[in-house]
């Protein structure tokens, strides 16, 4: 049966009321029951008894509306927006004729348009929710009703029903396993939906019910279960079964939870205990939250401020009206009386106040919100259309499932990632091995032709065709009969707990509990040692084509403390041998002393494997005599039957026999990461984004993946493991970790004091700090060593939070789920957050879905940072919902995460493009759009305010009413939309190369309250110019005929024309990336203004509507006057020239990083040869540096054996309970080959790059190119602003120039400076993505370069790398090396 992969598990506890009897008032009863339920009672096959408890049905509902509630609920939600309420209020005002000087349709039409568009979008989204709900609720289950199986929809399954599950079916509800087609009531399940683990788990029914396999027996089963109430504990269940006057204890091992998939089991029967929202999966799913961006929240605040400003202006003008009416207006009462409702100047002022509120409301026009939605929609389509985020393998494109969070993608500081299926493919491959001191699996010539994949079929007809290996020397060693090689693979074929199923002759399917086991047994299979079958007492193999049966004497089972497993077997010749495999850290110390030399060689191999991020384990054996076996067997039998301390006695017995072993070798398994994961993590770290891994896997698995994807490195100062089981122990471990961080940080900083005079200053500059100053706003960044001047006497320690913020980040924190539960308690949460945020990497293991969400909420609460959660399974849904942004990976675990997410794609590596390109561009575009929008509307509206002082505060508008209507709809809407949709400061390729460009979004630098006030000030300044310059000029101007120009309509046309021209020129200056659409919209809008104005002022319209068009002929007569055009030109110059001057000085004196990147890009284009080079070409020659470091470091080894294993399988095998195989095969766990990032990272060129200059620890370099096939080695360096990476400044032809220019600009004499400048043309300005280009770095010292600009390699290094290059000393390029813990670039 096909496994259904599209079941949406995006469920949270809302119960859809069913149209059934006895379910009236279900929601209220259920909520009441949830408050009072202390235990649950369920009686099998008795619906009447169970329904009196009003348990929830198995129906789920994720939709928000139905046909009746949609309109009122949706309108209520929309009017919670401050702006919509504001415009509704204005609409009501405009309906009052005494105070409205504008038509009501100018507000109601755009408001209705906005509400309608939003309602249609919400209705569409909710329709798809209804559709997915129906898809789930209408799935079929076989329910035992009155002795026969009947097909029922999932939504109709009730608590107490007995349902039948078949192989590969999803579990419909939380079930108590009653019986199974497998012997002893066993069944196998996959829990990927719950905890992300894809390995099999075993569940077993209570012995008394395991015999109820017949439907008739099950139909008569009337047992009653009393258990705990619904909760979210996935690994715990406590209950009791009462049946036939006996009671039986129930545990989690007897339960099948909703979301699991039945595997390798023909059928099983279960009793529904929890249904629908009461299931543990639902209890771990959070409610869907309405997500809003920080810009949205800021805009709401600004709207309130603007409304306050509007009220203030209205009060000022109303007071002016009262004074004017009292002092001046009273003189005109005889022939200009007040309108009938007005009887005194105070009432006139009151009406004038509301009139001005209506006139001045365009400071925040409703078109702002329409434009924002259009821009966001455009950004969403760009994400959907991005071919570089399309996965051809699974034919899946990236999808923006929401249009409201795009700019928030440019502000992310924390990423919370699942492991299985998100970072990894969960595919294990046998990569390398060491046998008797000889290593196999190395690619001997990485620069040569790709080695051929070995074909095992001629040698071994039982070989797995999907197995990949390339080193033929190992196969030759097997063929020639090397005894050590044969014993090595014999161990792998015997020492495991794998089950084998042979569908047909030679067609083997291995059912491994963990992918590690499957990879090792498959490797032995291909090299001629084929595991065929097993019984409780025997193991049958085929060795080099010859069948051999071993007697299985004992299995010494694996557990997390032993970190090894052993088997004791007797071969056909009667010899007894113990085979052991496990973590090298525990196995090597149990070897016979004669293995010392071999152990040293093997340890070196293990170091190499570990440095490559492979999962390693060691293999050993021991021959046993009959006497030794008999003696040990008796002690083992006694320990096994002990009633107290059984585990300890068994461990002691195992320890006794696993001594004096002989070393065979070691294996190295690669847990296949998804393509590009290490590079993506490195680039995101450079962008000052912290990545936390939250996984349900075991600690060893998560840590190993951390090393593989370079989150953890052996160069880290220390990795802290928090594993306490009590509140006190966790608090103590966190405290010790903080104290250790502070101690190591202070020690390291103190050690840097010697010999650091010039270098320390350069590093300070690189970090953006001056003496006595501290960097703020990064929140600790990506970690790293920020150099600090140690004070003379140590001051008293500051508060822990402040002190932890200044800790360098070369630390990592690993915390287990049971410890995390205590760490997230209210009184300890802040301690955990401060400790974790001081670390460069954080890994949380064995966490429940709810804990994942709690971690995200803790960071949101205490760090006030934008968070992003990414995952691929149902266990990630609550985390995805809790984060500001949720990203779903459409992987192997269904589409639950995708359905709950805001964005989805198929590969983790696409995350860097989503954030660094689309996110940064969206944030940049939205900020520029908002700045310009507020500017143009204040420039437009404030003219009314100034005019009020010259029109008796009568609420007379400056412009023609049609100009007021069309200004934001036609004349200025399209250019700003084009900028908001298409603008970019640097190309996408540069955004990826320079991740530091991402930092302004994190610090919210481009649009904040300060930027808002600057825009407002510029708009007010423009309005002053646009009003007073035409007013001053036209007051004394005359036409050529001598007729004065000082009339209202001429002034209105002149001011309106000047306004449109000024704002058009302004947006032309603001646009950084011109497309054809930008040109058409900007100049087309300007042209449309004149076209429409001449049409509206024509005599034709006046004749048709004489009461509507009062400006007849005014456009022609006004714009024919030269003085008018001179006035417009003067106003435009006064408005624009200061902006141009300010921007020029800003770029010259204090450029932003994007300015620097654009400038150096121009330099690069001019200086380098236009030969077709890949982007990765600039990285050539670096690999050997990193490779030498990785190979030389004596890092810790990480055993990968059985990390996904569970204790107890050995006992299960020897008991014989699981010996009968089902006819349906488990999906194979055999390894499959795919290209690996390691193949790239391990390229050895055997040539060092002495011309590669080191980078200061405080800065980062261009990130690895995403389009090049040559990926640079990842450095472990980092800083508060982000990690550093190796980067050659020169192309290979410019090596000498690069070395000669490494001199300090502050210490270089003029001649040297001139030489540096001369060498600069040969340098490719592959500049670093941090730092600010200062005037001293870019202004020529008396030079005559065009525009006063000149650049040398040294100045670029100083300005962009953040350090002043020094002459090489003692054959070591760059500055003197700092302590090992600091960031280094080799």
């Amino acid at each position: 049966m096909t496994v259904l992969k599209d079941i949406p598990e995006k469920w949270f506890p809302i119960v859809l009321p069913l149209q059934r009897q006895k379910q009236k008032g279900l929601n209220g009863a259920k909520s009441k029951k949830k408050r009072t339920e202390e235990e649950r009672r369920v009686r099998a096959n008795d619906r009447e008894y169970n329904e009196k408890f009003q348990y929830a049905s198995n129906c789920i509902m994720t939709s928000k509306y139905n046909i009746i509630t949609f309109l009122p609920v949706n309108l209520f939600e929309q009017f919670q927006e401050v702006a919509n309420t504001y415009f509704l209020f204005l609409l009501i005002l405009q309906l009052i004729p005494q105070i409205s000087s504008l038509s009501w349709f100018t507000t109601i039409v755009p408001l209705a348009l906005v509400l309608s568009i939003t309602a249609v979008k919400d209705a569409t989204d909710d329709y798809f929710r209804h559709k997915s709900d129906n898809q789930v609720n209408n799935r079929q289950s076989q329910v035992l009703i009155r002795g026969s199986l009947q097909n029922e929809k999932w939504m109709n399954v009730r608590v107490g029903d007995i349902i039948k599950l078949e192989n590969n079916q999803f579990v419909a509800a939380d079930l108590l396993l009653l019986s199974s087609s497998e012997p002893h009531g066993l069944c196998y399940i996959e829990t990927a939906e719950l905890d992300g683990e894809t390995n099999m788990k075993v569940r077993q029914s209570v012995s008394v019910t395991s015999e109820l396999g017949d439907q008739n027996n099950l139909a008569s089963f009337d047992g009653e279960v009393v258990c705990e109430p619904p909760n979210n504990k996935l690994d715990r269940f406590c209950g009791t079964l009462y049946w036939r006057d006996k009671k039986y204890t129930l545990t989690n091992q007897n339960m099948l939870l909703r979301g699991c998939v039945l595997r390798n089991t023909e059928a099983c029967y279960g009793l529904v205990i929890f249904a629908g929202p009461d299931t543990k999966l639902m209890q771990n799913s959070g409610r869907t939250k309405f997500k809003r961006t920080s810009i949205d929240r800021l805009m709401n605040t600004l709207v309130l401020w603007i409304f306050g400003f509007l009220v203030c202006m209205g009060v000022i003008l109303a007071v002016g009206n009262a004074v004017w009416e009292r002092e001046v207006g009273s003189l005109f009462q005889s022939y200009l009386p007040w309108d009938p409702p007005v009887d005194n100047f105070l009432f006139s002022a009151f009406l004038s106040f509301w009139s001005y509120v209506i006139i001045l409301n365009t400071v925040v026009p409703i078109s702002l919100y329409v434009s924002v939605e259009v821009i966001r929609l455009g950004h969403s389509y760009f994400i959907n259309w991005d071919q570089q985020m399309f996965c051809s393998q699974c034919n899946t494109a990236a999808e923006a499932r929401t249009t409201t969070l795009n700019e928030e993608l440019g502000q992310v500081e924390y990423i919370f990632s699942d492991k299985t299926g998100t970072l990894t493919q969960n595919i294990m491959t046998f990569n390398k091995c060491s046998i008797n001191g000889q290593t196999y699996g190395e690619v001997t010539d990485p620069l040569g032709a790709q080695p051929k994949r070995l074909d095992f079929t001629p040698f071994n007809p039982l070989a797995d065709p999907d197995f990949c290996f390339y080193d033929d020397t190992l196969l030759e060693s097997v063929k020639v009969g090397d005894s050590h090689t044969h014993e090595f693979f014999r161990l792998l074929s015997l020492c495991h707990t794998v089950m084998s199923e042979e569908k047909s002759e030679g067609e083997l399917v291995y059912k491994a509990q963990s992918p590690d086991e499957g990879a090792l047994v498959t490797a032995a299979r291909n090299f001629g040692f084929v595991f065929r079958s097993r019984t409780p007492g025997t193991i049958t193999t085929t060795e080099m084509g010859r069948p051999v049966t071993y007697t299985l004497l004992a299995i010494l089972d694996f557990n997390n403390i032993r970190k090894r497993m052993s088997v004791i077997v007797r071969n056909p010749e009667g010899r007894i041998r113990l085979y052991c495999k496990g973590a090298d850290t525990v196995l090597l110390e149990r070897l016979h002393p004669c293995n010392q030399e071999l152990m040293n060689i093997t340890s070196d191999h293990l170091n190499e494997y570990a440095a490559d991020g492979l999962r390693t384990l060691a293999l050993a054996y021991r021959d046993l005599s009959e006497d030794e076996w008999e003696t040990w067997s008796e002690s083992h039998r006694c320990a096994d039957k002990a009633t107290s301390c059984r585990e300890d006695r068994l461990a002691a017995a195992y320890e006794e026999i696993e001594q004096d072993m002989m070393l065979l070798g070691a294996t190295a398994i690669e847990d296949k990461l998804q393509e590009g994961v290490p590079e993506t993590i490195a680039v995101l770290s450079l962008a000052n984004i912290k990545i936390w891994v939250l996984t349900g896997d075991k600690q060893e698995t998560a840590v190993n993946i951390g090393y593989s994807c370079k989150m953890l490195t052996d160069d880290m100062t220390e990795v802290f493991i928090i594993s306490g089981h009590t509140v006190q122990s966790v608090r103590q471990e966190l405290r010790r970790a903080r104290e250790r961080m502070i101690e190591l940080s202070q020690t390291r900083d103190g050690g840097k004091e010697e010999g650091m005079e010039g270098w320390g200053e350069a590093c300070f500059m690189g970090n953006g700090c001056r003496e006595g100053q501290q960097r703020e706003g990064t929140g600790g960044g990506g970690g790293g060593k920020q150099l600090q001047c140690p004070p003379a006497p140590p001051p008293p320690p500051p508060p822990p939070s402040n002190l932890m913020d200044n800790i360098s980040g070369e630390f990592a924190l690993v915390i287990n789920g049971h410890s995390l539960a205590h760490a997230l308690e209210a009184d300890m949460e802040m301690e955990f957050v401060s400790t974790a945020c001081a670390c460069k990497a954080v890994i949380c293991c064995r966490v429940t879905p709810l804990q994942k969400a709690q971690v995200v909420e803790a960071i949101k609460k205490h760090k006030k940072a934008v968070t992003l959660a990414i995952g691929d399974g149902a266990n990630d849904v609550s985390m995805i919902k809790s984060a500001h942004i949720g990203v779903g990976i459409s992987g192997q675990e269904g589409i639950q995460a995708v359905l709950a997410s805001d964005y989805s794609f198929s590969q983790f590596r696409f995350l860097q493009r989503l954030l660094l390109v689309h996110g940064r561009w969206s944030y940049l575009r939205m900020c520029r759009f908002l700045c310009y929008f507020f500017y143009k509307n204040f420039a437009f509206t404030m003219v009314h305010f100034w005019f009020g002082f010259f029109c008796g505060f009568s609420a007379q508008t400056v412009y023609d009413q049609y100009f007021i209507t069309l200004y934001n709809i036609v004349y200025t809407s399209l250019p700003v939309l084009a900028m908001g949709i298409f603008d970019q400061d640097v190309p996408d390729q540069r955004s990826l190369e320079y991740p530091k460009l991402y930092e302004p979004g994190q610090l919210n630098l481009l649009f904040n309250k300060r930027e808002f006030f600057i825009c407002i000030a510029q708009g007010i300044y423009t309005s002053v110019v646009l009003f007073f310059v035409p007013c001053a000029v036209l007051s004394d101007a005359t036409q050529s005929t001598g007729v004065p120009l000082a009339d209202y309509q001429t002034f209105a046309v002149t001011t309106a024309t000047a306004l449109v021209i000024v704002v058009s020129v302004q947006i032309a200056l603001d646009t950084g990336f011109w497309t054809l659409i930008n040109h058409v919209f900007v100049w087309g809008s300007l042209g449309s203004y004149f076209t429409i104005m001449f049409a509206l002022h024509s005599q034709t319209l006046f004749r048709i509507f004489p009461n509507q068009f009062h400006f007849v002929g005014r456009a022609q007569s006004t714009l024919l006057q030269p003085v008018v055009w001179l006035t417009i030109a003067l106003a435009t110059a006064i408005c624009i020239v200061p902006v141009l001057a300010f921007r020029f000085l800003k770029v010259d004196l204090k450029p932003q990083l994007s300015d620097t990147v654009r400038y150096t890009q121009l330099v690069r284009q001019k200086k380098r040869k236009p030969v077709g080079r890949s982007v990765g070409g600039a990285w050539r020659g670096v690999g050997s540096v990193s490779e030498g470091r990785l190979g030389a470091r004596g890092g810790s080894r990480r055993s990968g054996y059985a990390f996904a294993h569970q204790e107890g399988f050995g006992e299960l095998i020897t008991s014989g309970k699981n010996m009968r195989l089902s006819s349906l095969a488990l999906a194979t766990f055999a390894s499959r080959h795919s290209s690996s990032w390691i193949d790239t990272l391990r390229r050895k060129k055997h040539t060092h790059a002495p011309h590669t200059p080191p980078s200061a620890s405080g800065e980062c370099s261009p990130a690895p190119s995403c389009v090049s096939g040559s990926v640079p080695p990842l450095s472990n360096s980092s800083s508060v602003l982000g990690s550093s990476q190796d980067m050659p400044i020169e192309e290979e032809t410019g090596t000498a120039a690069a070395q000669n220019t490494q001199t300090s600009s502050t210490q270089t004499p003029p001649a040297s400076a001139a030489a540096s400048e001369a060498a600069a043309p040969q340098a490719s300005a592959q500049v670093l993505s941090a730092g600010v280009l200062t005037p001293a770095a870019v202004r020529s010292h008396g030079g005559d370069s065009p525009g006063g600009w000149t650049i040398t390699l040294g100045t670029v290094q100083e300005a962009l790398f953040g350090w002043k290059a020094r002459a090489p000393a003692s054959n070591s390029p760059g500055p003197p090396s700092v302590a090992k813990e600091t960031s280094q670039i080799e």
Side-chain angles (χ1 to χ4, degrees), residues 184-398:
H184 308 286
L186 292 173
C187 74
Y188 300 90
I189 59 172
E190 182 181 286
T191 60
E193 297 288 354
L194 296 175
D195 55 21
E197 295 184 6
T198 56
N199 56 286
M200 283 191 302
K201 293 182 173 61
V202 180
R203 294 292 182 265
Q204 187 173 15
S205 64
V206 181
S207 58
V208 71
T209 65
S210 61
E211 303 169 358
L212 301 176
D214 184 71
Q215 293 183 15
N216 295 327
N217 294 334
L218 288 168
S220 61
F221 176 67
D222 60 352
E224 183 172 357
V225 174
V226 179
C227 65
E228 62 190 13
N231 60 74
N232 56 27
K233 304 294 184 183
L234 293 174
D235 56 351
R236 191 191 73 188
F237 178 81
C238 297
T240 305
L241 170 64
Y242 295 90
W243 190 41
R244 294 177 179 173
D245 299 327
K246 292 184 180 180
K247 60 180 182 179
Y248 308 89
T249 301
L250 303 178
T251 67
N252 201 50
Q253 288 299 310
N254 308 123
M255 297 294 295
L256 304 180
L257 303 183
R258 179 169 186 160
C260 297
V261 182
L262 192 67
R263 299 291 195 199
N264 193 34
T265 306
E266 289 186 7
C268 70
Y269 291 89
L271 173 66
V272 178
I273 304 296
F274 302 118
D278 291 342
T279 59
K280 292 184 182 289
L281 179 64
M282 300 299 101
Q283 293 285 314
N284 274 284
S285 297
R287 285 185 178 271
T288 300
K289 299 178 180 178
F290 181 62
K291 297 181 178 181
R292 306 186 58 170
T293 66
S294 57
I295 287 184
D296 277 336
R297 292 188 291 272
L298 177 60
M299 281 174 58
N300 275 346
T301 303
L302 297 182
V303 166
L304 292 176
W305 288 3
I306 291 173
F307 184 74
F309 180 67
L310 179 61
V311 170
C312 291
M313 290 193 295
V315 169
I316 293 172
L317 294 171
V319 171
N321 178 269
V323 173
W324 191 90
E325 289 288 353
R326 181 179 179 181
E327 301 297 331
V328 181
S330 58
L331 303 178
F332 303 96
Q333 286 297 312
S334 56
Y335 58 92
L336 279 178
W338 286 320
D339 291 334
V342 181
D343 55 1
N344 59 67
F345 69 92
L346 291 178
F347 191 59
S348 173
F350 175 76
L351 295 180
S352 177
F353 168 79
W354 294 110
S355 297
Y356 272 113
V357 166
I358 294 173
I359 292 174
L360 300 176
N361 81 84
T362 49
V363 285
V364 184
I366 196 168
S367 60
L368 169 65
Y369 291 88
V370 178
S371 302
V372 165
E373 291 302 319
V374 171
I375 290 172
R376 286 173 172 167
L377 184 64
H379 296 169
S380 299
Y381 277 113
F382 288 155
I383 294 174
N384 297 343
W385 293 338
D386 192 341
Q387 289 298 312
Q388 297 187 49
M389 296 173 67
F390 176 82
C391 179
S392 57
Q393 295 177 349
C394 50
N395 195 31
T396 303

Side-chain angles (χ1 to χ4, degrees), residues 473-489:
T473 58
L474 180 57
L475 184 57
E476 289 301 320
S477 179
V478 172
K479 289 179 179 180
V480 300
D482 180 76
S483 60
H484 295 96
T485 307
H486 280 205
E487 200 65 21
F488 180 90
F489 286 112

Side-chain angles (χ1 to χ4, degrees), residues 209 232 275 342 526 548 568 817 838 857 1089 1110 1154-1155 1158 1322 1328 1377:
T209 65
N232 56 27
V342 181
N526 279 265
V548 181
I568 302 176
E857 292 289 353
Y1089 163 72
H1110 306 297
S1154 56
D1155 301 326
R1158 283 198 302 270
Q1322 301 188 28
L1328 206 57
S1377 61

